[in-house]
Amino acid sequence: MSDTTSLGASSAFKPQRLSATELHAKPSADYADKLATTQALLRRAAAEFQPIKQASSLGAEDVVITHLINALALDIPVFVLETGRLHAETLELLERTEAHSRAPIQIYRPQHEAVIEFVRHKGQNSIYDSIALRKECCGIRKMEPLARALAGQKAWITGLRREQSNARAEVPLIDESEVASKGLTKFNPLADWSWGDVWHYIAQNQVDYNPLHDQFFPSIGCVPCTRAISLGEEFRAGRWWWEDESAKECGLHVRAS
């Protein structure tokens, strides 16, 4: 047997890495009911809560919601916070989404001067020095653009799920905690979906998704704040992994008390 034949034979038995759909697409027993509830909630949101937008990080949950908005032909634009530090894979997915989405895709970027000032005085990697500095960066790159994105809105839609973390374990389908302070109702149409439900929908409907999910990135944010997770780690273990679990929010989804 030649060396070439031997190499070919051995490589045939080399294990292949499973894609995120192959690994995770396992629907709950009541998946059909969950999907129907989500569709009804999105229709209600579009009919009764205008103006309304979907906030998308282009993560697995958000591409499902955008696909549903398009499939149901709902009058709901989608906005993305382009922080200036997103992965190349995320930016490429954003381009593809803009090209193929029926719903308008709006992009909000941080104020350039504020970013420059932060980097000049605090340093590009100062986010690792303290929670305060990391949250200051999030404030500039996410919170200020979010305020602009939601100005004048009556409601917004997110991909929050109860399964994502302990801090999100009680996420409601309809969150009215900011109605009094900001006049905003938040819809979380996938609140009771499992990770398997999300990926079942993606597989069943051939939804385009971020290839970083195939590399064990369940939650994807900015490059310096995101890493892959290992087997057995919590869903959001790859986000701000150097911080205490209780601090792992940027402020976008902290409920008013």
Side-chain angles (χ1 to χ4, degrees):
M1 182 181 293
S2 69
D3 290 342
T4 302
T5 304
S6 176
L7 177 60
S10 63
S11 64
F13 295 99
K14 183 178 180 180
Q16 299 296 311
R17 174 182 288 179
L18 296 176
S19 69
T21 49
E22 292 170 318
L23 194 60
H24 301 301
K26 300 169 185 175
S28 305
D30 58 347
Y31 168 79
D33 293 335
K34 290 179 181 178
L35 177 58
T37 297
T38 294
Q39 291 169 326
L41 188 64
L42 287 171
R43 289 191 181 100
R44 178 190 171 194
E48 301 178 16
F49 289 82
Q50 292 290 347
I52 184 172
K53 293 179 180 178
Q54 181 207 351
S56 175
S57 68
L58 299 166
E61 293 90 349
D62 293 326
V63 299
V64 166
I65 295 172
T66 299
H67 187 273
L68 282 165
I69 288 170
N70 283 315
L72 298 171
L74 300 177
D75 182 19
I76 301 176
V78 180
F79 73 87
V80 175
L81 304 181
E82 206 291 76
T83 65
R85 302 208 74 181
L86 299 181
H87 295 79
E89 293 88 344
T90 305
L91 295 175
E92 289 166 5
L93 176 58
L94 174 56
E95 288 183 353
R96 296 195 301 272
T97 304
E98 287 184 284
H100 299 292
S101 176
R102 172 193 170 276
I105 307 297
Q106 304 170 349
I107 301 174
Y108 290 84
R109 295 180 172 86
Q111 298 288 352
H112 183 68
E113 297 79 7
V115 172
I116 293 301
E117 283 298 303
F118 179 82
V119 173
R120 177 182 294 130
H121 296 292
K122 308 295 174 62
Q124 181 84 307
N125 295 314
S126 60
I127 58 171
Y128 302 117
D129 295 337
S130 71
I131 292 177
L133 286 170
R134 194 271 293 168
K135 289 190 174 182
E136 184 177 348
C137 186
C138 288
I140 293 168
R141 295 183 185 274
K142 292 184 176 181
M143 297 305 295
E144 189 279 330
L146 177 70
R148 280 187 275 123
L150 294 179
Q153 299 299 296
K154 186 173 181 180
W156 58 312
I157 300 168
T158 84
L160 295 182
R161 293 184 303 110
R162 295 171 192 143
E163 191 184 71
Q164 288 169 338
S165 69
N166 290 335
R168 299 179 178 183
E170 298 181 2
V171 167
L173 286 170
I174 303 175
D175 184 348
E176 298 180 322
S177 64
E178 293 185 333
V179 172
S181 59
K182 299 179 182 179
L184 279 171
T185 299
K186 181 191 288 187
F187 287 87
N188 306 302
L190 304 185
D192 59 355
W193 283 39
S194 70
W195 191 227
D197 293 331
V198 171
W199 284 101
H200 177 70
Y201 184 95
I202 289 173
Q204 193 174 52
N205 294 278
Q206 298 184 312
V207 180
D208 191 9
Y209 65 87
N210 195 322
L212 287 174
H213 288 306
D214 294 333
Q215 300 173 38
F216 305 103
F217 284 74
S219 180
I220 304 168
C222 294
V223 173
C225 300
T226 309
R227 65 164 174 81
I229 67 170
S230 301
L231 186 65
E233 285 193 291
E234 296 293 333
F235 183 87
R236 285 171 60 82
R239 300 296 297 278
W240 307 299
W241 62 91
W242 63 94
E243 296 182 354
D244 182 80
E245 178 66 28
S246 62
K248 289 188 177 185
E249 292 287 353
C250 61
L252 296 182
H253 301 300
V254 176
R255 293 187 68 191
S257 57

